[in-house]
Amino acid sequence: MKIGLPTYFFESLESTNVYAAQLVAQKPVAEGTVIDTAYQTNGHGQKDRIWDSPEGQNITSSVILRPHWLKIQDQFLLNVMTSMAIVDTLQFWMDQSIKVKWPNDVYVNDKKISGILIQSGIQGSTLQYSIIGIGLNVLQNKWPSEVKNPTSIVLNTSDDIDLNEVKSMLFEQLEKHYQTIQKDASKLLDRYRGSLYKKDEETVFYIQGKSVKGTVRAVDDFGRLIVDTSDGPRLFEVGEISFSK
Ligand code: BTN
């Protein structure tokens, strides 16, 4: 299996995740197939948000995986391998420390550089397919004012950046970390825990609409966030807690 073989590239597409989902519903698709586009007319973000990215400047791609071997309760490992593939790709071009903002964002100095949208198909107790959607800001240097704290690779390096080079490295890292989680995920999980945004720093969260102070300590083996609060350590599922900014 090679991530990026084949790659279906489109000048423009509604959303690479939507196209990938239509493809897997229609016919058998090889693991590692990538859907890539220069421009999405209706890119999807987390929580029904839109993901807007100007033509030809950033990575907007979806990788189709078939992780039949992965238990459903361990599917968080797909977030881990994707986040760390992005971190390792970025670390090649920049010295700044790259953080994983649980559960789906990658940050540089309090600014968002990448977002992940994973959509899986489950049959019985098996993961039939997972679509790993990645938006990674590479060349963009201007955003509409409503976009909160964005950044990109070009804004963090003085090197000349080639979009296709970044893409190839990202797919290489994804392939490597996908192999890792099939063997033994423990070291990668440790690195992921060590890269958590705001780890060991008191910060403000929203929990059930209320702002609450707390400190991120770790993520458990099921992907729940462990936060120290004034009530002691608490575990949060995705959607139960968010960073205030
Ligand atoms: C987020 O931060 O809210 C997640 C953003 C995910 C965006 C990517 S771009 C490629 C893929 N196709 C989509 O429609 N969304 C993901």
Side-chain angles (χ1 to χ4, degrees):
M1 189 277 287
K2 182 123 194 79
I3 290 186
L5 265 187
T7 294
Y8 297 114
F9 176 79
F10 300 87
E11 281 304 328
S12 152
L13 203 59
E14 179 192 343
S15 146
T16 56
N17 268 37
V18 169
Y19 188 92
Q22 287 165 349
L23 206 63
V24 290
Q26 282 162 13
K27 59 174 188 181
V29 182
E31 182 166 63
T33 298
V34 167
I35 311 301
D36 187 24
T37 188
Y39 183 65
Q40 296 186 120
T41 55
N42 186 21
H44 294 205
Q46 292 287 333
K47 301 183 196 151
D48 291 330
R49 285 193 286 249
I50 53 161
W51 184 263
D52 245 339
S53 178
E55 186 175 349
Q57 295 192 16
N58 302 323
I59 294 176
T60 46
S61 310
S62 301
V63 180
I64 298 170
L65 297 177
R66 298 196 166 279
H68 305 292
W69 49 273
L70 186 63
K71 294 196 194 92
I72 295 190
Q73 64 266 31
D74 292 336
Q75 58 181 310
F76 173 67
L77 288 179
L78 296 171
N79 290 64
V80 172
M81 70 112 195
T82 308
S83 306
M84 295 316 291
I86 296 170
V87 168
D88 290 345
T89 300
L90 293 173
Q91 211 68 82
F92 181 82
W93 274 281
M94 56 181 82
D95 300 327
Q96 292 86 331
S97 103
I98 322 281
K99 299 289 178 196
V100 178
K101 189 176 179 206
W102 181 91
N104 287 302
D105 293 342
V106 179
Y107 265 53
V108 183
N109 291 335
D110 291 316
K111 293 187 172 177
K112 177 162 169 170
I113 194 161
S114 181
I116 302 166
L117 182 64
I118 299 181
Q119 295 173 303
S120 294
I122 295 173
Q123 219 169 52
S125 56
T126 309
L127 277 163
Q128 285 298 323
Y129 65 84
S130 290
I131 296 165
I132 314 288
I134 299 172
L136 172 61
N137 297 336
V138 179
L139 301 172
Q140 189 170 4
N141 58 15
K142 280 199 288 285
W143 285 264
S145 54
E146 63 271 18
V147 181
K148 276 197 293 171
N149 301 324
T151 192
S152 66
I153 297 183
V154 278
L155 295 181
N156 288 280
T157 178
S158 49
D159 292 353
D160 283 341
I161 299 295
D162 178 279
L163 182 61
N164 284 323
E165 218 180 300
V166 181
K167 221 179 267 178
S168 307
M169 178 166 296
L170 174 66
F171 295 159
E172 243 172 65
Q173 294 297 321
L174 276 169
E175 196 174 306
K176 185 170 111 190
H177 291 323
Y178 187 53
Q179 281 162 8
T180 302
I181 63 164
Q182 293 181 56
K183 291 186 206 129
D184 176 9
S186 54
K187 286 206 182 78
L188 193 64
L189 206 45
D190 286 347
R191 282 188 56 218
Y192 176 91
R193 289 179 175 124
S195 306
L196 285 172
Y197 178 68
K198 298 284 186 202
K199 182 176 189 293
D200 300 329
E201 277 175 54
E202 189 175 68
T203 184
V204 179
F205 296 92
Y206 286 123
I207 303 169
Q208 292 177 332
K210 281 202 212 111
S211 69
V212 174
K213 276 191 193 157
T215 308
V216 170
R217 294 296 184 204
V219 164
D220 76 0
D221 286 348
F222 303 102
R224 293 174 297 191
L225 192 68
I226 305 170
V227 179
D228 275 349
T229 66
S230 53
D231 299 333
R234 291 177 61 186
L235 278 174
F236 296 93
E237 302 274 356
V238 174
E240 288 179 348
I241 185 169
S242 57
F243 288 86
S244 73
K245 53 178 182 166

